[in-house]
């Protein structure tokens, strides 16, 4: 269990001797003075204690405390003990890297203090540091750019080609054949020099010339075939990978998207996969061909002259060790480059999506500066990478040229000295040297492509490795046709550990009942809706439908029986007809029209030139806010679910349209469970009960009249809204 950090023996022994068995313990990365260093927090059945490396302990009796809380500070946080009297005391400080662990510890301590059953989730917080080199990770659980398992990534990358193994084998065969054809000309040159020119005989010239032409034609055939085949393989891999990434994104939990910018995800699917395509189209064939040639030519050189071969091999260790150095220094920089590009995508997307807000606020120059700063950051990282690459390439070529010069010097001496090496053999040897050094000369280029592809592949695979939603637990059952009874039992929930949004919610919604969720912004209303739809699971407690806890129900059949009208309508590119049919593609046109009439959308739809075939642009471009909202409501009506959720469904319509939608809502309430959120309290006039939320807790439950009599939180909200309406010259919210 991760709430059992090892402590120094002195501290542990003293705690157990004086206060009993330690139930929970946690280490901090800041000491008692706030400097970097270890300190410890431990809890027994009766006491809470803070200790250090020297065995010093400060203990507090649990019965003296009313609670513990977290205070967030700049770059750090602290756990504070709140006594039953007017007294508070700092317990321990820690950096932001330890937030999830201490947030959970705080929750456990409060459960112990209040005498509640302690709940600890099964999932261990992901590591904030690399377990191998202790490098801080850009996000918890991410791969360390310095310790990337290269072989594993290459294996996974090649495994994507497994469905096309026959074409891959053909590519390998063509690469080997191409290597052989390229190795032939120097050998033919040797025989032309020795058997034709030096022998002053043209008898064998046609044969050797014909063989040279034949080898050239065969090499051309192999090149063209390999190009066509590799273009197909690279293209099919990129197509399949992008499709797989998009499909996987659809299955991830919403919390994954809460922590990431859309630009970053677009960069992974488009930019990173493009690097893989570039490597597979240009780099991989070159690597296969030249690897085969490198091995083959090494044997040929040894057969021609072993001593000259040793001279040729002298630069190889430098190139190999230099390549390793290059990779280790450039690979982490590639991650920084990708991060800069992701930020660039995000800023560009925001600038396009928010162009109205930019113009209204006259912030064009500000957005230009933000984008230019991102461009400059990517430019600086890219320039450093290219300069490193170019410098290493030039040094590599210089060393190889020294090797060629040495071969000419030694080889010419051996030919003139009659050491058994002929002129033709020397010319063939020099020809093979360039074929041998060719792969090494371009080794840094392939290495550069490889580091780009490796960094891109790591980011792509890290996305694919994210756990998707569990649509069907092992013991999950089909919910059948649900009635719609909803039960919240002591539900606690937080989007981020340490920042609880729902704090012990308890309430019931009867099947077929319409309830309204009321409260200030940020009170937790939309979060309750997210939990009903099981977009998130509670940290503790349970949400049940018809008496069955949500994790025990198969997810897809359950969600198909929920209709949701979101606060911000989500429409897709296509026709109005397609958008209304989104939840039920098989619906007839007559059913679509009935749903549109119920949502009071039919009138404005038929008024358009193309009616229901009117094309909608990106995010509903071409429609007003109210029109988009009504199409979204029509979609939910057509869905005809047992549970209907209206999250500020009338926030974008005028008073007259709102009245019509209230009439439509009144018809929808019959025989279905409806949960409605609205800031305009008049929208909830048809609700049988109101659930009032305040700071994540259920403050009040009752009808409008009952809550007004209590003169509590709800009554204050109504009074404030009445005053606002009077100021705007509008009618009273509630008629009495």
């Amino acid at each position: 269990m991760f709430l059992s950090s090892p402590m120094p023996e002195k501290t542990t022994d003293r705690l157990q001797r004086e206060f009993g068995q330690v139930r929970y313990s946690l280490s901090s990365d800041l000491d008692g003075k706030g400097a970097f260093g270890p300190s410890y927090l431990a809890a027994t059945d009766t006491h809470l204690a803070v200790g250090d490396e020297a065995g010093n302990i400060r203990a507090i009796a649990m019965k003296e405390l009313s609670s513990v809380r977290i205070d967030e500070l700049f770059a750090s946080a602290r756990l504070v003990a709140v006594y039953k009297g007017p007294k508070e005391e700092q317990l321990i400080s820690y950096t932001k890297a330890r937030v999830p662990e201490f947030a959970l510890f705080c929750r456990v301590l409060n459960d112990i203090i209040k005498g509640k059953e302690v709940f600890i989730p099964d999932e261990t917080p992901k590591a904030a540091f690399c377990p191998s080199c202790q490098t801080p990770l850009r996000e918890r659980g991410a791969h360390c750019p310095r310790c990337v398992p290269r072989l594993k990534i290459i294996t996974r990358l090649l495994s994507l080609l497994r469905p096309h193994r026959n074409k891959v084998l053909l590519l390998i065969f063509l690469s080997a054949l191409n290597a052989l054809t390229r190795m032939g000309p120097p050998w033919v040159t040797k025989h032309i020099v020795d058997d034709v020119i030096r022998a002053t005989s043209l008898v064998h010239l046609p044969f050797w010339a014909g063989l040279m032409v034949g080898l050239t034609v065969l090499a051309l055939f192999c090149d063209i075939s390999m190009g066509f085949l590799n273009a197909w393989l690279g293209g099919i891999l990129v197509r399949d990978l992008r499709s797989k990434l998009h499909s996987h994104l659809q299955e991830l939990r919403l919390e994954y998207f809460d922590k990431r910018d859309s630009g970053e995800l677009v960069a992974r699917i488009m930019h990173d996969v493009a690097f893989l395509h570039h490597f597979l189209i240009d780099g991989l064939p070159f690597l296969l061909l030249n690897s085969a040639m490198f091995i083959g030519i090494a044997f040929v050189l040894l057969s021609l002259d072993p001593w000259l071969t040793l001279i040729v091999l002298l630069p190889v260790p430098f190139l190999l060790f230099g390549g390793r150095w290059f990779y280790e220094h450039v690979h982490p920089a590639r991650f920084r480059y990708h991060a800069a590009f992701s930020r660039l995508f995000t800023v560009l997307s925001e600038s396009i999506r928010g162009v109205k807000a930019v113009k209204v606020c006259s912030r064009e120059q500000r957005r230009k500066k933000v984008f230019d700063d991102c461009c400059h950051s990517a430019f600086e990282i890219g320039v450093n990478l290219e300069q490193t690459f170019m410098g290493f390439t030039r040094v590599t070529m210089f060393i190889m040229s020294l090797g060629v010069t040495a071969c000419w010097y030694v080889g010419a001496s051996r030919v003139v000295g009659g050491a058994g090496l002929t002129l033709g053999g020397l010319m063939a040897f020099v020809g093979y040297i360039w074929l041998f050094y060719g792969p090494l000369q371009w080794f840094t280029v392939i290495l550069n492509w490889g580091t780009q592809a490796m960094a891109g592949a790591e980011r792509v695979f890290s996305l694919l490795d994210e756990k998707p939603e569990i649509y069907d637990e092992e013991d999950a059952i089909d919910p059948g046709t649900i009635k719609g009874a909803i039960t919240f039992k002591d539900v606690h929930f937080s989007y981020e550990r340490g920042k609880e949004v729902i704090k012990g919610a308890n309430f019931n919604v009867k099947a077929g009942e319409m309830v309204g969720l009321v409260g200030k912004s940020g009170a937790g209303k939309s979060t309750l809706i997210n939990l009903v739809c099981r977009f998130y699971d509670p940290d503790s407690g349970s949400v049940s439908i018809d008496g069955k806890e949500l994790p025990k129900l198969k997810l897809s059949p359950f969600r198909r029986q929920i209709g949701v009208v979101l606060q911000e309508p989500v429409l897709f590119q296509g026709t109005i007809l397609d958008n209304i049919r989104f939840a039920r593609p098989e619906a007839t046109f007559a059913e679509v029209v009935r749903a549109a009439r119920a949502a009071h959308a039919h009138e404005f739809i038929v008024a358009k030139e193309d009616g229901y075939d009117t094309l909608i642009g990106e995010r509903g471009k071409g429609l007003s806010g109210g029109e988009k909202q009504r199409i979204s409501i029509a979609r939910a009506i057509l869905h005809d679910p047992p549970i209907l959720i209206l999250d500020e469904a009338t926030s974008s319509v005028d008073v007259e349209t709102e009245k019509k939608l209230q009439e439509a809502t009144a018809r929808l309430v019959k025989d279905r469970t409806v949960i409605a959120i609205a800031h305009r309290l008049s929208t909830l006039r048809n609700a049988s009960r109101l659930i009032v939320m305040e700071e994540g807790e259920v403050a009040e439950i009752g009808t409008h009249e009952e809550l007004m009599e209590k003169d509590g939180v709800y009554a204050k909200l109504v009074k404030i809204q009445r005053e606002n309406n009077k100021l705007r010259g509008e009618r009273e919210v509630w008629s009495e």
Side-chain angles (χ1 to χ4, degrees):
M1 187 178 66
F2 53 88
L3 289 186
S4 57
S5 300
M7 296 187 295
E9 281 190 33
K10 291 181 182 179
T11 306
T12 304
D13 292 343
R14 184 180 168 190
L15 274 172
Q16 293 182 348
R17 187 172 59 253
E18 297 182 12
F19 306 109
Q21 184 65 36
V22 175
R23 293 182 60 188
Y24 307 102
S25 60
L26 192 62
S27 62
S28 173
D29 48 5
L30 296 179
D31 61 21
K33 297 179 180 179
F36 285 105
S39 58
Y40 305 93
L41 187 66
T44 68
D45 289 325
T46 58
H47 284 76
L48 176 62
V50 180
D52 58 22
E53 288 281 277
N56 299 314
I57 292 176
R58 179 163 50 97
I60 304 170
M62 292 282 192
K63 62 183 181 181
E64 297 179 8
L65 300 176
S66 63
S67 65
V68 293
R69 73 165 191 271
I70 291 174
D71 286 348
E72 293 191 16
L73 308 172
F74 182 75
S76 64
R78 64 185 180 186
L79 201 63
V80 177
V82 181
Y83 288 82
K84 291 180 179 178
K87 178 184 174 183
E88 294 183 355
E89 182 181 3
Q90 177 178 325
L91 294 172
I92 196 169
S93 298
Y94 52 92
T95 67
K96 295 292 187 182
R98 303 286 287 163
V99 165
E101 290 83 358
F102 274 92
L104 179 58
F105 204 102
C106 179
R107 173 82 175 280
V108 167
L109 290 177
N110 280 318
D111 286 344
I112 294 173
I113 291 169
K114 295 174 183 177
K116 297 171 62 177
E117 182 181 353
V118 174
F119 172 79
I120 299 178
D122 296 330
E123 184 180 354
T124 303
K126 295 178 180 178
F129 297 86
C130 173
S132 299
C133 65
Q134 295 302 307
T135 300
L137 302 176
R138 54 189 173 85
E139 64 179 68
R140 283 178 168 260
H143 289 300
C144 174
R146 296 184 180 276
C147 305
V148 173
R150 295 185 288 272
L151 183 59
K152 182 180 178 181
I153 289 178
I154 292 172
T155 303
R156 289 189 66 178
L157 192 59
L158 294 178
S159 69
L160 297 173
L161 293 171
R162 190 174 295 126
H164 316 291
R165 61 175 65 89
N166 292 334
K167 289 184 172 61
V168 173
L169 291 174
L170 178 59
L171 179 63
I172 294 173
F173 170 76
L174 289 172
S175 298
L177 182 60
N178 199 4
L180 289 174
T181 58
R182 292 179 182 276
M183 290 169 56
W187 181 71
V188 173
T189 300
K190 174 183 180 302
H191 285 280
I192 290 176
V193 172
D194 290 340
D195 299 343
V196 176
I197 297 175
R198 294 189 65 186
T200 63
S201 173
L202 300 177
V203 174
H204 301 293
L205 182 59
F207 170 76
W208 296 116
L211 183 58
M212 184 76 80
V213 172
L215 290 172
T216 305
V217 172
L218 185 57
L220 177 63
F221 169 77
C222 290
D223 282 339
I224 294 175
S225 301
M226 286 176 63
F228 286 170
L229 187 58
N230 199 68
W232 187 89
L233 284 171
I236 202 73
L237 175 61
V238 169
R239 184 203 70 180
D240 293 346
L241 192 54
R242 281 182 175 153
S243 177
K244 191 173 183 179
L245 285 168
H246 180 266
S247 298
H248 191 67
L249 278 175
Q250 305 304 306
E251 297 176 356
L252 294 179
R253 299 182 68 86
L254 281 182
E255 60 192 28
Y256 179 81
F257 299 93
D258 292 340
K259 301 174 183 177
R260 287 162 181 84
D261 296 324
S262 59
E264 178 190 351
L265 298 177
V266 171
R268 291 195 188 192
I269 296 176
M270 304 304 294
H271 193 249
D272 293 343
V273 173
F275 272 131
L276 295 181
H277 180 263
H278 180 50
F279 176 70
L280 292 170
I281 289 292
D282 300 320
L284 193 57
F286 185 89
L287 191 61
L288 289 173
L289 172 62
N290 288 282
S291 295
M293 288 182 62
F294 186 81
I295 296 171
I297 292 171
F299 283 106
V300 173
L301 291 176
L302 285 170
S303 66
L304 286 172
D305 194 305
W307 293 106
L308 278 180
T309 304
L310 290 177
I311 296 175
V312 172
L313 293 176
L314 285 177
V316 173
F318 169 82
L319 296 175
L320 293 179
F321 285 109
R324 181 178 178 84
W325 173 89
F326 178 84
Y327 182 87
E328 290 178 350
H329 282 73
V330 169
H331 191 66
R334 284 288 172 199
F335 278 87
R336 295 194 296 272
Y337 183 69
H338 285 300
F341 242 91
S342 297
R343 174 62 180 158
L344 198 62
F345 271 93
T346 299
V347 172
L348 179 60
S349 176
E350 288 176 345
S351 293
I352 295 173
R353 190 171 60 249
V355 65
K356 277 189 179 180
V358 172
K359 290 183 176 297
V360 165
C361 298
S362 298
R363 302 298 288 170
E364 290 91 343
Q365 297 304 317
R366 170 63 180 167
R367 290 305 298 178
K368 288 178 184 178
K369 184 179 184 305
V370 171
F371 186 79
D372 289 347
D373 288 346
C374 291
C375 282
H376 185 69
S377 177
F379 158 77
E380 285 187 328
I381 299 173
V383 167
N384 290 334
L385 281 170
E386 290 303 319
Q387 288 175 344
T388 303
F389 166 67
M390 292 300 295
F392 186 72
T393 301
R394 294 299 178 265
V395 172
T396 300
M397 293 179 67
F398 171 73
I399 291 173
M400 287 189 295
S401 67
L402 291 180
V404 174
T405 302
C407 284
W408 271 112
Y409 183 85
V410 176
S413 300
R414 291 172 65 81
V415 171
V416 174
L421 183 65
T422 65
L423 177 61
L426 177 59
M427 294 187 67
F429 199 95
V430 173
Y432 280 122
I433 286 176
W434 286 114
L435 288 177
F436 183 77
Y437 277 162
L440 294 178
Q441 179 180 353
W442 292 101
F443 178 69
T444 50
V445 177
I446 300 302
L447 199 59
N448 191 40
W449 291 346
T451 53
Q452 292 177 347
M454 197 68 66
E458 192 277 334
R459 286 159 56 88
V460 166
F461 289 138
S462 68
L463 194 158
L464 290 175
D465 289 339
E466 287 291 332
K467 292 182 180 179
E469 282 189 295
I470 301 175
Y471 283 82
D472 297 324
E473 300 276 2
E474 290 183 4
D475 57 346
I477 60 174
D478 193 307
T481 302
I482 63 177
K483 296 178 181 179
I486 302 171
T487 303
F488 274 67
K489 184 178 179 181
D490 195 25
V491 172
H492 292 259
F493 175 75
S494 56
Y495 293 103
E496 296 180 53
R497 290 246 173 101
K499 299 179 180 179
E500 207 166 54
V501 179
I502 302 298
K503 307 170 184 176
N506 288 282
F507 63 86
N508 297 305
V509 179
K510 299 175 184 178
E513 181 183 21
M514 178 180 179
V515 298
L517 290 179
V518 181
K520 299 177 183 177
S521 296
K525 305 185 296 298
S526 295
T527 300
L528 292 178
I529 298 302
N530 290 335
L531 293 173
V532 171
C533 298
R534 208 191 165 194
F535 293 148
Y536 303 89
D537 286 328
D539 297 340
S540 64
S542 64
V543 181
S544 303
I545 300 293
D546 297 339
K548 301 169 186 173
E549 293 186 12
L550 287 186
K552 296 180 179 179
L553 301 178
K554 291 185 177 180
L555 193 56
S556 293
F558 164 68
R559 282 186 179 161
R560 281 196 291 268
Q561 300 185 68
I562 294 182
V564 181
V565 181
L566 298 172
Q567 184 174 356
E568 296 181 9
V570 177
L571 301 181
F572 302 92
Q573 282 189 321
T575 65
I576 292 177
L577 180 65
D578 291 337
N579 271 276
I580 297 177
R581 273 180 176 162
F582 187 76
R584 277 185 59 202
E586 74 283 358
T588 64
F589 181 71
E591 290 174 324
V592 172
V593 172
R594 279 198 296 272
R597 287 184 184 277
H600 294 280
H602 179 74
E603 292 77 8
F604 82 79
I605 294 174
V606 296
K608 295 184 178 296
E609 185 175 351
D610 295 322
Y612 284 85
D613 292 325
T614 300
L615 288 173
I616 298 176
E618 182 184 7
R619 301 190 309 279
K621 188 176 180 180
L623 299 176
S624 68
E627 289 172 342
K628 287 188 285 188
Q629 194 73 280
R630 280 179 276 176
I631 289 176
S632 181
I633 293 172
R635 178 195 296 165
I637 293 172
L638 181 65
H639 189 185
D640 193 25
I643 298 177
L644 181 65
I645 294 172
L646 306 175
D647 187 356
E648 295 288 346
T650 60
S651 61
S652 299
V653 297
D654 54 36
V655 175
E656 184 178 349
T657 304
E658 182 188 7
K659 184 178 179 181
K660 295 179 180 179
L661 288 177
Q662 287 174 0
E663 296 170 1
T665 302
R667 293 194 296 269
L668 284 172
V669 172
K670 188 177 181 182
D671 299 327
R672 90 178 70 242
T673 302
V674 179
I675 301 178
I677 299 175
H679 283 110
R680 293 180 186 175
L681 300 180
S682 59
T683 307
L684 303 176
R685 66 169 63 245
N686 295 319
S688 57
R689 284 188 303 153
L690 301 174
I691 299 174
V692 184
M693 298 294 297
E694 185 175 36
E695 295 184 359
E697 297 179 340
V698 177
E700 299 171 340
I701 299 179
T703 64
H704 167 67
E705 291 75 15
E706 292 171 348
L707 296 179
M708 290 299 292
E709 287 180 7
K710 286 184 179 180
D711 196 25
V713 176
Y714 177 75
K716 291 180 182 178
L717 290 174
V718 172
K719 289 175 183 176
I720 291 172
Q721 195 163 113
R722 281 176 174 172
E723 291 173 1
N724 290 339
N725 289 338
K726 287 179 180 179
L727 290 174
R728 292 195 301 264
E730 295 179 2
R731 62 185 179 181
E732 292 289 331
V733 179
W734 292 90
S735 57
E736 299 189 10

